[in-house]
Amino acid sequence: MSFEFIKVNPQYAKHIALIELNRPKELNALSRQVMLEIRDTLKALDEDDNVRVIILTGGEKVFAAGADIKQMADATAIDMLNIDQFSTWDQIKKTRKPIIAAVSGFALGGGCELAMTCDMIIATETAKFGQPEIKIGTMPGAGGTQRLTRAIGKVRAMEMVLTGKFISAEEALQYGLVNRIVPAELMMHETLGLAKQIAAQSPVAIKLAKEAVNQAFNSTLDEGLMFERKNFYLTFASEDQKEGMAAFVEKRTPEFKGK
Ligand code: CAA
């Protein structure tokens, strides 16, 4: 796979794919082309049986400084409606395999939203998160008001969205926005470690479990519990569940095949 603004390695490690944003002069600003490339890549990786986990990073200097302001500065509301740029973001949400964001440096506006659309976030000490759209006369449009609020709570999200202030990696960890903080030079090593742990599990169970966790944001507790129960039962239709439990009984490491 070859693109202009992202680098893709479908076999970064066994069963693990890597997507790296590659628009350094613009601090990885998420132009429509960048988002189309991410969308097409995620769709392909989601369909690739060799891939079990996807890592998304901007590299060590910057994750992404948001949607491309220059591209939308003169747009009318109807231009925005017709361009429908956020439909490309829906693919990220639709991706059934786990996506881990490895965030170093700025993750602002659409960059923060992109990280939050992923399933987990590994941050480096230099990571800074923010929704600064208010400072340019607009507001978050790719999920910032919804995902940030769910992740860190109303009053913190309100302050970030209404003032545009950035939070440090430490604050992000304290607020529950990121999984952990690692030194920048260990970012990929640590992210890969997490990806490997997930890639070693049953891909069937992983997909069903991810879907069930996400259901928590879209349903009442009773609906969510019922959804979880059905997915739990469904794992018993898989060879992986038989293999996993047999391996436990036989005191050996299971070999999951995604079937
Ligand atoms: N869009 C387009 N270009 C951007 C950009 C963005 N979001 N962010 C940075 N750039 C460009 C700059 O224009 C600059 O280009 P030139 O060299 O051609 O002038 C280059 O990247 C380097 O940026 P700076 O010189 O500004 O770097 P800095 O280190 O002084 O500041 C920064 C870094 C604080 C991140 C600053 O660039 C900044 O505030 N960027 C904008 C952040 C922002 O407002 N993001 C929200 C965008 S709107 C959005 O995302 C909507 C949504 O919900 C989807």
Side-chain angles (χ1 to χ4, degrees):
M1 284 187 250
S2 142
F3 295 99
E4 195 177 350
F5 297 120
I6 64 173
K7 291 193 240 172
V8 181
N9 184 349
Q11 287 168 356
Y12 181 59
K14 193 178 173 202
H15 297 314
I16 298 165
L18 176 69
I19 303 175
E20 186 168 4
L21 306 177
N22 185 30
R23 213 184 162 213
K25 279 195 197 126
E26 290 82 10
L27 309 185
N28 290 335
L30 303 168
S31 64
R32 283 191 282 282
Q33 182 61 28
V34 174
M35 292 311 301
L36 286 172
E37 293 181 8
I38 293 174
R39 180 197 66 183
D40 292 349
T41 304
L42 285 176
K43 192 160 188 310
L45 295 176
D46 215 27
E47 288 166 2
D48 182 340
D49 285 343
N50 284 319
V51 174
R52 294 185 181 181
V53 181
I54 300 160
I55 298 173
L56 175 65
T57 189
E60 274 186 31
K61 291 201 177 116
V62 62
F63 184 68
D68 192 319
I69 298 171
K70 293 167 193 167
Q71 200 170 45
M72 50 185 180
D74 297 325
T76 66
I78 303 305
D79 290 337
M80 296 301 276
L81 178 78
N82 287 339
I83 292 163
D84 193 20
Q85 70 192 60
F86 296 126
S87 63
T88 55
W89 289 71
D90 295 342
Q91 181 61 44
I92 310 171
K93 201 179 87 169
K94 268 195 250 160
T95 304
R96 300 200 304 161
K97 293 172 186 171
I99 311 174
I100 307 172
V103 176
S104 198
F106 291 118
L108 304 178
C112 186
E113 290 165 312
L114 180 60
M116 290 191 296
T117 311
C118 297
D119 301 303
M120 285 156 278
I121 304 176
I122 302 294
T124 74
E125 293 148 341
T126 67
K128 280 198 166 36
F129 297 85
Q131 297 289 160
E133 291 90 342
I134 207 77
K135 292 181 176 171
I136 52 170
T138 182
M139 59 174 280
T145 62
Q146 303 304 301
R147 290 203 174 91
L148 189 65
T149 306
R150 282 167 169 78
I152 70 174
K154 175 183 152 179
V155 295
R156 289 168 177 150
M158 200 64 97
E159 187 175 344
M160 285 177 71
V161 170
L162 300 191
T163 68
K165 83 165 199 171
F166 301 162
I167 58 167
S168 66
E170 274 301 334
E171 286 169 301
L173 182 66
Q174 194 195 328
Y175 296 173
L177 185 63
V178 305
N179 292 73
R180 65 189 69 119
I181 305 173
V182 300
E185 63 278 14
L186 294 181
M187 177 176 78
M188 290 319 294
H189 177 79
E190 295 287 335
T191 308
L192 195 54
L194 175 60
K196 280 181 178 168
Q197 280 181 48
I198 298 166
Q201 314 307 325
S202 157
V204 175
I206 289 285
K207 264 183 214 150
L208 292 170
K210 169 175 165 166
E211 190 183 44
V213 172
N214 281 330
Q215 187 65 21
F217 297 103
N218 291 321
S219 59
T220 63
L221 179 61
D222 280 349
E223 286 162 355
L225 289 170
M226 197 48 70
F227 189 95
E228 176 192 82
R229 196 173 300 173
K230 297 271 168 64
N231 277 12
F232 172 73
Y233 293 154
L234 192 51
T235 62
F236 283 73
S238 71
E239 291 175 21
D240 282 352
Q241 174 271 331
K242 300 288 172 279
E243 165 65 7
M245 294 197 182
F248 175 81
V249 174
E250 293 159 19
K251 300 188 188 299
R252 60 175 174 82
T253 308
E255 277 236 6
F256 294 121
K257 298 203 168 93
K259 289 187 180 158

